[in-house]
Amino acid sequence: MTEKKKILIRIGSLRHGGAEKVLVTFLKNLPETKYEIDLLLNLYSGKYLSEVPSWVNILYLNKGEMITTNRIQDIPRKIYRVLYQNVLKRFPKLLYNGKLNGKKYDIEFAAIHGMRDEILNSPLKNSKKIVWIHNDLSEVKGYTNDEIRKFFGFDKIMVISEKIKATFLNQAQSEAERQKVEKIYNPLDTEEILAKAEQPVLNYNFDITCPTFISVGTVFPQKGFDRLLKVHKRLLDEGFQHKILIVGDGYDFENIKKLKSELGVDNTATMLGFTDNPYPHFKHSDFYILSSRYEGFPTVLFEAITLKKKIIATEVSGAAEMLNGGEIGLIVENSEEGIYNGMKKALESPEYFTTYSENLKEYVMPFGLQNSVDSIMNIIDSL
C-alpha cells in the first residue's frame, strides 16, 4: 500500500465565505484513504467547521469568534491574537516545531491568497507548495505587479476563472512560470443545493404581489450592497414597487443596515443575516442580483444557475464565463447606473428575461463537482 501524502492546508477560519465553502466541499469529496490532512486555521470559528470530515485533523492558532468591532472590552483579545499570529508568521519555526510537532509535509497548501507568505516562508524546503486564488488580485487594493509576482514562488497556482488566469499569465516571465498556472473550476455540489432548496423558508415572508430581488454574500464593501440599496430607493421613488432581500453577514453589516434606515427603505429591504441554508430564499425570489464591485469567480451565480433563477450581474471577473457569455443571465455595467438599468429592465419588461429562462432550461454546467475534485487531486498527485 502506498503511503498517504501528508498535506498541510492553511486558511484564516471557516466563516461563511465562498472560498471557505469551496474548501470544505473539496475536503468532503476527497478519498480518506489517499491523504493525511492537517487543516490549520488562524481562528477556530465559522459556520463550516461542523462540515469538515472527521478524518481531517483541525489545528488552530486562536479560538473564539471573529472580532469585528472595536469595543473596549474586545481590544486586548484582538491585540493578543494579532501579535501572536504575527510572531508565528515572522518566526515560522516556532509554529512548525511547536503546534505542528515538527511534522514533515509533502504538500503545503494556501487555500486563499492571504496565506501566501505563511506557506512560502515555511521552514520545510522540500515540500511542494500550492496556492488557490479566488479573487481577481488585479482589482484588490495593495496587490501591485510586484506583489502578484511573489506568487510564482509556489509550485502550482490554482485559479478559478479565465480573468484571474490572464492576470497571472501576464505577469509570468518564463514558460516554466506559465506552466504553474492552472484553471480549476470551484468544486460545488449541485445535488446538495437542489435538495436544500426544497426546505421551508425561515425568517422571511415572500410577497407574491411584489417582485423580490435576492442577493447573497458576505457583507463586505466588495459586494456592493450599498449600491444595491441606493438603486432600490431610486426605483421606489420612480414608482417601481419591489423588495430587496440581502442574505449574509460580515464586518460591514451594521454600516449597510444604517444606510438602509437612512435611505428610508426599512419596509422594503430586509437584511436577513447569515443562514445555513439560503437556497429556499433563492427559490422563492423572482430575481437574483449580483451587485459586486469585483469577484474572482462568483460562486453564488453557480447556485442561482442551479436553481434556474433570472439573473442580473455586474460585469466582474467570472460573470461572463459563468453566464455563458450573457446567454443565461443579464450582465450589466459594473456601476450603480448599470445595476439601476438592469433592475429597471426587470421591473419594466419582465418578459425580457424569458429568453434567459429558456436558455437555462437547456444549459449544462461545465463545472461538475467530481470533475473539479479530480482536477485538484491530479495537481496534488503530480507534485
Side-chain angles (χ1 to χ4, degrees), residues 132-137 157-169 181-186 295-299 316-322 367:
W132 204 345
I133 310 277
H134 296 270
N135 276 76
D136 181 4
L137 297 184
I157 302 166
M158 290 182 358
V159 299
I160 61 170
S161 75
E162 282 299 333
K163 173 100 182 346
I164 305 176
K165 187 177 179 180
T167 296
F168 277 91
L169 291 180
V181 185
E182 294 249 7
K183 187 183 86 173
I184 306 279
Y185 283 122
N186 274 338
E295 285 283 347
F297 198 65
T299 305
V316 289
S317 164
E321 216 173 320
M322 288 221 95
F367 10 89

Side-chain angles (χ1 to χ4, degrees), residues 352-372:
Y352 183 85
F353 285 79
T354 313
T355 314
Y356 298 128
S357 299
E358 288 302 317
N359 292 345
L360 254 180
K361 279 180 194 162
E362 307 302 317
Y363 184 62
V364 179
M365 276 186 276
F367 10 89
L369 175 65
Q370 204 46 55
N371 195 354
S372 299

